[in-house]
Amino acid sequence: TDCWTFNQGLNLTAGTAGAPALVFNGDVNSGLFQPGADSLAIATAGAQRITVDSSGRVGIGTSTSDGTLHVHTASAGTVTAWANADDLIIENNNNTGISILAADNKQANIIFGSPTDNIGSIIRWQQSTNELQVGTHQTGGFLTFKTAIGSERMRIENSGKVGIGASNPQELLQVGAGFASVNGALLISADT
């Protein structure tokens, strides 16, 4: 039948990255092993590459995941071609995208830099007074763009109003926090 059939579980040793417990013929340093209790890892060329921990978190390039999916590059190196230029590539012949969902649609973050040394972020906030129900999904809220922790530089409201240096834009585009209206569409700060 070209396969083995078992009526009980197959009990393997835990193995290591250099000597996985389950390998393919002729490639003894690539395969599956168990780095710890209730976890599973994949090794190639004797190095641990992917880890699924006991909480179901997946680490790629790291054995300790800080989130549901944690992609880690040890060294950026020098990129001379498209290959290895990015840590995350999502490719499709048709429309595709990334959905970032937060519990109860409260807040979702894209952070640039480490979470503790944030050099910038894009945050989607719920704005409960402006929330609209579309089926079971919440719409509304606003996006903020920050260049450091707590330093909001730009905001896009759910109405389409944009504030640069203004957290509550009064016109389609408001620059600064003043109230000098120009043609009812542009608001320039009166204190600059």
Side-chain angles (χ1 to χ4, degrees):
T1 61
D2 292 330
C3 67
W4 289 92
T5 301
F6 299 91
N7 61 7
Q8 295 181 356
L10 182 60
N11 192 354
L12 303 172
T13 62
T16 64
L22 183 61
V23 298
F24 295 93
N25 187 27
D27 192 1
V28 297
N29 64 356
S30 297
L32 299 173
F33 71 101
Q34 187 179 34
D38 298 322
S39 61
L40 182 65
I42 297 174
T44 61
Q48 187 170 340
R49 308 296 185 181
I50 299 174
T51 305
V52 181
D53 69 14
S54 59
S55 298
R57 296 176 297 197
V58 177
I60 300 174
T62 178
S63 60
T64 306
S65 180
D66 291 330
T68 303
L69 173 61
H70 183 166
V71 180
H72 175 75
T73 303
S75 176
T78 302
V79 178
T80 57
W82 287 107
N84 302 319
D86 299 298
D87 291 331
L88 177 61
I89 298 174
I90 297 177
E91 186 175 7
N92 193 324
N93 290 332
N94 298 311
N95 294 333
T96 189
I98 299 174
S99 295
I100 300 175
L101 307 175
D104 299 324
N105 296 301
K106 297 291 184 187
Q107 177 179 330
N109 301 283
I110 299 174
I111 297 173
F112 303 93
S114 70
T116 57
D117 187 24
N118 185 338
I119 59 172
S121 61
I122 301 171
I123 304 173
R124 187 273 186 187
W125 299 86
Q126 178 179 348
Q127 191 170 3
S128 58
T129 57
N130 292 335
E131 289 291 319
L132 303 173
Q133 290 283 347
V134 179
T136 59
H137 302 285
Q138 298 283 331
T139 63
F142 55 93
L143 292 177
T144 60
F145 295 79
K146 297 184 176 187
T147 55
I149 294 176
S151 300
E152 180 180 322
R153 305 301 185 192
M154 185 173 78
R155 176 180 294 216
I156 303 174
E157 296 282 347
N158 66 339
S159 62
K161 293 178 181 176
V162 176
I164 300 173
S167 61
N168 186 21
Q170 301 299 305
E171 301 292 350
L172 288 177
L173 174 62
Q174 179 175 341
V175 180
F179 297 98
S181 184
V182 178
N183 296 327
L186 175 65
L187 197 59
I188 305 293
S189 176
D191 53 1
T192 60

